[in-house]
Amino acid sequence: MKVTLLGAGAWGTAMASQAARHLQDGDVCLWSRSADQLQEIAQSGENKSYLPGINLPKNLHLEADFSAAINRLSEQDLLVVATPMSGLAETITQVLQVAKHPLNIIWLCKGLEPATALLPHQVVEREHQLHGRGLTHAYGALSGPSFAHEVGAGMPCALTVASASAQLCEIVQAAFHHDNMRVYSSDDLIGVELGGAVKNVLAIAAGIGDGLQLGLNARAAVLTRGLAEMMRLVKAAGGKSETCMGLTGVGDLILTATGDLSRNRRVGLELAAGKSLNEILASLGHVAEGVLCAAAVSDLAKRLGVDMPITAMMGEVLSSKLTPKEAVKKLMGRDPKIEA
């Protein structure tokens, strides 16, 4: 089989490496809009800008021609969109415009579209209605607790692919389930995608708590009550609340809220230190999806009538309506409730 990955950031590069370790020479293609970036990768053998220190497989094919990267695939192959959430709509539109036959498509991004509070699959469905050209593509999301650098290094990892298409899930497993990576399947696309969005916001909250030195008790409370918020939202949106107890919910939440490689956790730590959001984002060099989708998650919760106080407070902190300390005070001052 052949695999094409669109986007040579940290995640796209790491997952391209994972597939290339198992497949044949040239079967895995990594596309980038920057020919200069691809030339640097070819010369150095690593993606120094996004995944430094990781030697990439020599059988990895690098491609700057978008149409060629897409149309090298057959109906049994796999296309992976490895852009941030902000690039999903544009990339899918371009794919639909150049595709010559039905494709198997998954995305790696986590979050909601900020302006619309749409989930990734809803963004894709919207673009498909506008640009689908009569082709019926299979769609899905690949998510779970994973840092790109560790995946690129071949360290143990477990992910979940979610799709209404069982065949697509099997294709994704054939591409990535080998060596130190396990890939489970699910039909709960809503639950998997919402888990990936909400956990980023909660990781900022956990980072703020740690940055303010509120203690391990406080961190446990944030994660536990944050998980309850996630489960309520997933159920209200039409997903399965039990999905939140798996890799793409509690698993990804634990990793992102406690791992030192987490960009969202780092945002929380630096907000607690008194830095401005603009200053923090400028120093990151990479996207922190929790910042981009916090307001959208809160908007979706309001639309569905779901109470998400931790998420709501993070939205107010990120929009500079509250300081981190004020947000903690408001959360701790809420009326007592029944735990359910």
Side-chain angles (χ1 to χ4, degrees):
M1 70 178 299
K2 288 184 170 62
V3 181
T4 288
L5 297 98
L6 303 178
W11 247 123
T13 306
M15 292 302 287
S17 296
Q18 173 64 18
R21 294 187 192 107
H22 173 66
L23 298 176
Q24 300 300 312
D25 187 22
D27 282 353
V28 181
C29 168
L30 179 63
W31 172 86
S32 171
R33 65 175 70 251
S34 171
D36 290 341
Q37 181 193 22
L38 294 180
Q39 183 177 9
E40 180 184 292
I41 292 173
Q43 291 175 345
S44 67
E46 64 181 88
N47 188 339
K48 293 183 178 180
S49 297
Y50 293 97
L51 208 64
I54 301 297
N55 294 322
L56 304 181
K58 294 182 179 180
N59 63 335
L60 178 62
H61 174 66
L62 304 176
E63 180 63 71
D65 186 315
F66 188 85
S67 182
I70 302 300
N71 289 312
R72 67 192 295 276
L73 302 174
S74 73
E75 295 183 28
Q76 288 73 46
D77 295 328
L78 180 64
L79 178 64
V80 182
V81 179
T83 66
M85 184 65 195
S86 59
L88 178 61
E90 177 187 0
T91 304
I92 284 293
T93 297
Q94 292 176 333
V95 169
L96 297 174
Q97 289 172 339
V98 303
K100 296 180 179 179
H101 52 71
L103 296 170
N104 300 295
I105 304 172
I106 62 165
W107 44 88
L108 306 180
C109 56
K110 301 173 183 179
L112 276 66
E113 190 174 60
T116 64
L118 292 177
L119 288 164
H121 78 273
Q122 294 170 326
V123 172
V124 171
E125 287 173 355
R126 180 191 66 202
E127 299 307 315
H128 194 154
Q129 290 175 358
L130 295 172
H131 308 288
R133 297 167 52 234
L135 296 177
T136 302
H137 304 286
Y139 295 113
L142 183 62
S143 188
S146 48
F147 288 137
H149 194 275
E150 291 188 359
V151 170
M155 299 173 73
C157 172
L159 302 174
T160 297
V161 55
S163 175
S165 169
Q167 182 180 14
L168 173 59
C169 291
E170 291 174 359
I171 289 172
V172 173
Q173 289 173 319
F176 296 114
H177 185 107
H178 55 84
D179 299 328
N180 276 334
M181 178 175 285
R182 295 187 59 81
V183 180
Y184 295 84
S185 63
S186 169
D187 61 0
D188 184 15
L189 189 52
I190 292 174
V192 165
E193 289 186 326
L194 270 180
V198 176
K199 63 90 182 178
N200 283 329
V201 182
L202 297 174
I204 297 174
I208 286 176
D210 289 347
L212 293 176
Q213 298 184 358
L214 300 183
L216 299 178
N217 295 343
R219 181 199 287 176
V222 166
L223 298 187
T224 305
R225 297 311 304 161
L227 180 61
E229 291 186 12
M230 181 192 296
M231 295 176 75
R232 289 197 295 268
L233 185 62
V234 166
K235 184 176 181 179
K240 302 174 184 176
S241 59
E242 58 265 31
T243 299
C244 299
M245 300 307 296
L247 290 167
T248 61
V250 66
D252 213 353
L253 174 59
I254 292 170
L255 179 75
T256 312
T258 65
D260 290 336
L261 294 176
S262 168
R263 294 190 293 271
N264 291 287
R265 170 178 162 78
R266 180 177 164 188
V267 168
L269 288 169
E270 298 197 3
L271 283 170
K275 294 184 180 180
S276 71
L277 185 58
N278 287 338
E279 182 182 2
I280 296 167
L281 296 180
S283 68
L284 277 180
H286 298 269
V287 174
E289 291 286 7
V291 174
L292 300 177
C293 78
V297 173
S298 292
D299 290 343
L300 178 61
K302 291 175 184 176
R303 191 161 72 229
L304 296 175
V306 179
D307 184 31
M308 299 184 69
I310 299 174
T311 302
M313 288 301 104
M314 288 307 96
E316 295 201 25
V317 169
L318 292 168
S319 61
S320 300
K321 295 178 182 177
L322 290 175
T323 67
K325 289 183 178 180
E326 289 170 342
V328 172
K329 186 175 181 179
K330 285 190 70 172
L331 283 171
M332 296 306 295
R334 297 176 74 240
D335 293 337
K337 296 181 179 294
I338 297 173
E339 184 178 33

